[in-house]
Amino acid sequence: MVPRRGPSRAAPGKPGVGAENHRESWLNHFATELHPPRTDPSAPDALARLVELVGPDLQACNRTIVARMDSPVALIPQVAAHIVAAGGKRLRPLLTLATARMCGYQGSRHIDLAACVEFIHTATLLHDDVVDESLLRRGLSSANATFGNKASVLVGDFLFARAFQLMVEDGSLSVLSILSRAAATIAEGEVSQLVIQNDLATSLDQYFEVIRGKTAALFSAACEVGAVVAGRPAPEQAAMAAFGMDLGIAFQLVDDALDYAADQSKLGKTVGDDFREGKITMPVLAAYHAGDAPAREFWVRTIEASSQGEGDLEHALDLIGRSDAIQTTLNHAATFTDRAKDALLAFPPSPMRDTLADVADYTVSRAS
Amino acid sequence: MVPRRGPSRAAPGKPGVGAENHRESWLNHFATELHPPRTDPSAPDALARLVELVGPDLQACNRTIVARMDSPVALIPQVAAHIVAAGGKRLRPLLTLATARMCGYQGSRHIDLAACVEFIHTATLLHDDVVDESLLRRGLSSANATFGNKASVLVGDFLFARAFQLMVEDGSLSVLSILSRAAATIAEGEVSQLVIQNDLATSLDQYFEVIRGKTAALFSAACEVGAVVAGRPAPEQAAMAAFGMDLGIAFQLVDDALDYAADQSKLGKTVGDDFREGKITMPVLAAYHAGDAPAREFWVRTIEASSQGEGDLEHALDLIGRSDAIQTTLNHAATFTDRAKDALLAFPPSPMRDTLADVADYTVSRAS
């Protein structure tokens, strides 16, 4: 067996009992962690510029997130804080905030809706980690490893429901339609991923269907909502949705490449997770189809038969490194990034538009 | 170890691959199973009369369920059909259908909304069975035992999202507000249940908070929606919500009693599931508090320390049988049933109102 590099799975104790007293301090701690917009000096320029452009909006969004993930049931904010505070890039809510402003929106509805987008994303992450049996999330012990699978499933359900409550408070049936459709599409993408797992006969079309669902649908919805709150006409709403969709596909392609190529310490994720799970991604498909007979045999044993031993991950990384699998994947990503940037041309030039285009470029450049 | 009586956990194979071809036949089979309203001659009179009163509505609702749980991802309708077709009593959607008609509603919006209620319930069941590691559901192998935990989590997410899509199509923000709040409350109840698990120091208040959330909130929402689509004034909407809440609490109390008292073959559930899971329910709390020192020691070992061996379930059933734990639980249930029936008095007499009152009585009488 390939040894797992993550922390050993903590036997989840009795969660949350006696924790009621600590709720206040948890939330305070979390609020402190969140309130300053993430202007990590090492963050890539484009993303840092986007954060700067929507600074007060992002702070307000973070306040909504903290306020609305609260519950009298203390374990809920604990689990939610664990994953929300672990500090992703807030890319999806940033997209809602930025697209709304780029579309000329002057109000504040986009703030709570960006929080909805983050709640849906967080709920998905919690369930993903249960499904993938992940031990690490952004370099830290995952919620399921810390609090157990049960808490992760149920708190994910809570955040999902809370996202819909926030949308209902906003009161736009268009927004509700976009985000409920996205939520169903995400689930379809996740189930499809489960179905193609371990199956090297998966076509590229099937693979794209999976990443469109599990990742790009929410990027797309996040951007479309920005145009909708701004009251832009249908073609511009569609352009925003297309921008998010292509950006999301590029993002997932790069993510899949990084799983076989990243510097683990830099990325905060365990390299080789996809390999160990027998996940079908473009690097694997490319290396498999380009491989000679022994290479194909290796992939069939390790991915299809899930029979992995000492040195297999290293051999997989070596096979992928010697093929053009990573480059093929990144080339595809670049194509989608270009399409995403084209979609932005439906809007007049502005610093926000330029920065969104740069963020699209960053999506691919982070892999190199 | 107490031997599990359910089927052994099927090692879930690769789900759904090659199943695309069978989708049609699955759905057809499922449609056939569902379309006749459930007029099982052995069904209790009150429920059968309710089914008869809303017959065409229930058939239409079942058609919506079949049509809207479909997806191009074949595994989704397979898993959904497994649990939806397993044939619960459709009690929650029946409540929406019946309360809408009792409130004088003449349209058809309540049909899709009843399907929403059933989808939310089904999503909760799928996630519950993962959380409880249940092997049986209504006497059949549970979805997680058949398809694996991963599929159950993700298809639950899909059904939940699909429920919101249906609500959005209906277009009532009031309904969306009621059901999204119920969904969040259900998740809070489930997490609370996880927190009090194994804890004999749980107060009766905490126990009621759990069952209000995990069960009664959806009963309440199902009934409130009936009054809302009928356009009844706020006090009548509140009376319907109160009826559902009290009925739901009574229902769960009786369910908790049955877990220590039922004839397994009759109930289609495994007696003693709650015991094995260390679930804190009123029968256990009542028996624990009424018990002598050796009895308390027994409950502490089996429920708090989760140390269970040969003969322990039998001893638990014996202790409960010799105490008044079941009667105490059923007395509480009867109190809530009476309150539920009182709430119905806000409405003029009608066959539907009388039958709903009888269904409330049946909720308790099914335990005797």
Side-chain angles (χ1 to χ4, degrees):
Chain A
M1 285 293 294
V2 178
R4 291 235 170 209
R5 295 179 191 172
S8 64
R9 180 179 296 264
K14 178 112 170 292
V17 166
E20 189 65 35
N21 301 336
H22 303 300
R23 190 155 66 93
E24 223 34 53
S25 62
W26 257 95
L27 284 176
N28 287 342
H29 164 79
F30 178 50
T32 316
E33 290 288 294
L34 266 183
H35 281 176
R38 296 178 56 82
T39 46
D40 176 358
S42 72
D45 278 351
L47 205 55
R49 280 205 310 283
L50 194 68
V51 167
E52 213 172 286
L53 282 172
V54 299
D57 287 355
L58 184 57
Q59 289 179 47
C61 175
N62 280 336
R63 281 193 296 272
T64 298
I65 289 172
V66 174
R68 300 310 296 273
M69 74 186 199
D70 198 13
S71 161
V73 182
L75 183 57
I76 290 176
Q78 281 175 39
V79 174
H82 181 87
I83 187 159
V84 177
K89 296 178 291 295
R90 300 259 188 279
L91 188 48
R92 294 157 190 80
L94 269 171
L95 289 173
T96 302
L97 299 174
T99 53
R101 292 301 189 199
M102 187 191 76
C103 290
Y105 181 59
Q106 299 293 326
S108 61
R109 284 176 53 208
H110 63 322
I111 288 169
D112 282 7
L113 294 176
C116 289
V117 167
E118 185 69 356
F119 279 164
I120 292 175
H121 174 55
T122 306
T124 307
L125 291 186
L126 282 167
H127 288 184
D128 269 3
D129 282 346
V130 170
V131 167
D132 291 346
E133 298 164 19
S134 305
L135 301 171
L136 280 183
R137 165 67 63 188
R138 295 169 186 152
L140 299 173
S141 170
S142 62
N144 50 312
T146 307
F147 298 97
N149 282 339
K150 303 176 180 194
S152 292
V153 169
L154 299 174
V155 175
D157 289 349
F158 173 82
L159 289 175
F160 197 54
R162 181 50 56 90
F164 277 94
Q165 285 187 285
L166 272 167
M167 281 179 244
V168 171
E169 289 170 24
D170 174 71
S172 158
L173 284 167
S174 306
V175 168
L176 276 156
S177 172
I178 291 164
L179 285 170
S180 61
R181 191 181 60 228
T185 305
I186 293 168
E188 287 182 324
E190 299 276 358
V191 175
S192 296
Q193 176 170 261
L194 194 60
V195 171
I196 67 168
Q197 201 167 8
N198 306 108
D199 187 0
L200 288 165
T202 300
S203 70
L204 219 50
D205 279 354
Q206 286 173 294
Y207 166 74
F208 274 111
E209 208 46 46
V210 166
I211 67 175
R212 241 183 231 111
K214 75 169 188 169
T215 305
L218 189 57
F219 275 73
S220 178
C223 295
E224 191 176 1
V225 164
V228 168
V229 290
R232 305 306 308 165
E236 292 186 21
Q237 294 179 16
M240 277 287 78
F243 167 74
M245 180 60 77
D246 289 334
L247 180 64
I249 294 171
F251 182 87
Q252 187 59 52
L253 282 164
V254 173
D255 218 55
D256 288 350
L258 286 172
D259 208 86
Y260 285 94
D263 176 347
Q264 183 171 334
S265 61
K266 196 171 119 192
L267 194 68
K269 68 184 266 187
T270 316
V271 168
D273 269 351
D274 290 352
F275 178 71
R276 277 183 287 263
E277 289 159 21
K279 229 176 229 178
I280 298 298
T281 62
M282 189 178 276
V284 167
L285 288 177
Y288 171 70
H289 287 292
D292 55 12
R296 285 182 172 228
E297 224 166 85
F298 169 82
W299 292 114
V300 168
R301 170 174 63 80
T302 54
I303 297 289
E304 289 210 331
S306 298
S307 163
Q308 300 185 6
E310 196 74 50
D312 276 343
L313 173 59
E314 289 69 19
H315 189 56
L317 293 172
D318 184 54
L319 282 178
I320 284 186
R322 284 191 285 121
S323 78
D324 59 358
I326 297 297
Q327 200 50 54
T328 301
T329 306
L330 296 180
N331 288 347
H332 271 91
T335 305
F336 282 99
T337 303
D338 288 342
R339 273 177 39 170
K341 289 191 290 183
D342 283 350
L344 287 176
L345 300 178
F347 301 87
S350 71
M352 196 68 90
R353 194 191 80 169
D354 295 345
T355 309
L356 281 169
D358 292 346
V359 165
D361 282 329
Y362 150 71
T363 296
V364 175
S365 67
R366 75 195 165 112
S368 50
Chain B
M1 287 291 296
V2 179
R4 290 235 171 213
R5 295 179 191 172
S8 64
R9 180 179 296 266
K14 178 112 168 295
V17 165
E20 189 65 36
N21 300 338
H22 303 300
R23 189 154 68 93
E24 223 34 53
S25 63
W26 257 94
L27 285 177
N28 286 342
H29 164 77
F30 178 49
T32 316
E33 290 289 295
L34 268 182
H35 280 179
R38 296 177 57 81
T39 46
D40 176 357
S42 74
D45 278 352
L47 205 56
R49 280 205 310 282
L50 194 68
V51 167
E52 213 172 285
L53 281 172
V54 299
D57 287 355
L58 184 58
Q59 289 179 46
C61 176
N62 280 335
R63 281 193 296 272
T64 298
I65 289 172
V66 174
R68 299 309 296 272
M69 74 186 200
D70 199 13
S71 160
V73 182
L75 184 57
I76 289 176
Q78 281 175 38
V79 175
H82 181 85
I83 186 159
V84 178
K89 295 177 291 295
R90 300 259 188 280
L91 188 49
R92 294 156 191 81
L94 270 171
L95 289 174
T96 302
L97 299 173
T99 53
R101 292 300 190 202
M102 187 191 75
C103 289
Y105 181 58
Q106 300 293 326
S108 61
R109 285 175 54 207
H110 64 321
I111 287 168
D112 282 7
L113 294 177
C116 289
V117 167
E118 185 70 355
F119 278 164
I120 292 175
H121 174 56
T122 306
T124 307
L125 290 186
L126 283 167
H127 289 184
D128 269 4
D129 282 347
V130 170
V131 168
D132 291 345
E133 298 163 20
S134 306
L135 301 171
L136 280 182
R137 165 68 62 188
R138 295 168 186 152
L140 299 174
S141 170
S142 62
N144 50 312
T146 308
F147 297 98
N149 283 339
K150 303 176 180 193
S152 291
V153 169
L154 299 174
V155 174
D157 289 350
F158 174 81
L159 290 175
F160 198 54
R162 182 48 57 89
F164 277 94
Q165 285 187 284
L166 273 167
M167 282 179 242
V168 171
E169 289 170 25
D170 173 70
S172 158
L173 283 168
S174 306
V175 168
L176 275 156
S177 173
I178 290 164
L179 285 171
S180 61
R181 191 181 61 229
T185 305
I186 293 167
E188 287 182 324
E190 299 276 357
V191 175
S192 297
Q193 176 170 261
L194 194 59
V195 171
I196 67 168
Q197 201 166 10
N198 304 110
D199 187 1
L200 288 166
T202 301
S203 70
L204 219 50
D205 279 355
Q206 285 174 296
Y207 166 74
F208 274 110
E209 207 46 46
V210 166
I211 67 176
R212 243 183 229 110
K214 74 168 190 171
T215 305
L218 190 57
F219 275 72
S220 177
C223 295
E224 190 176 0
V225 164
V228 168
V229 292
R232 305 305 307 164
E236 290 187 21
Q237 294 179 15
M240 277 286 79
F243 167 74
M245 180 60 76
D246 289 333
L247 179 65
I249 293 171
F251 181 87
Q252 188 59 54
L253 282 164
V254 173
D255 218 55
D256 289 350
L258 286 172
D259 208 85
Y260 286 94
D263 176 347
Q264 184 171 336
S265 62
K266 196 171 121 192
L267 194 69
K269 69 184 267 188
T270 316
V271 169
D273 269 350
D274 290 351
F275 178 71
R276 276 183 288 262
E277 289 159 21
K279 230 176 229 178
I280 298 298
T281 61
M282 188 176 276
V284 167
L285 288 177
Y288 171 70
H289 287 292
D292 54 12
R296 285 183 172 226
E297 225 166 84
F298 169 82
W299 291 114
V300 168
R301 169 174 64 81
T302 54
I303 297 288
E304 288 209 333
S306 297
S307 164
Q308 299 184 7
E310 195 75 51
D312 277 343
L313 173 59
E314 289 68 20
H315 189 56
L317 293 171
D318 185 52
L319 282 177
I320 285 186
R322 284 191 286 123
S323 77
D324 59 357
I326 296 296
Q327 200 49 54
T328 301
T329 306
L330 296 181
N331 288 347
H332 270 92
T335 305
F336 282 98
T337 302
D338 287 343
R339 273 177 40 169
K341 288 190 290 182
D342 283 350
L344 287 176
L345 300 178
F347 301 88
S350 71
M352 196 68 88
R353 193 191 81 168
D354 294 346
T355 308
L356 281 169
D358 291 346
V359 165
D361 281 330
Y362 150 71
T363 296
V364 176
S365 67
R366 74 194 165 115
S368 50

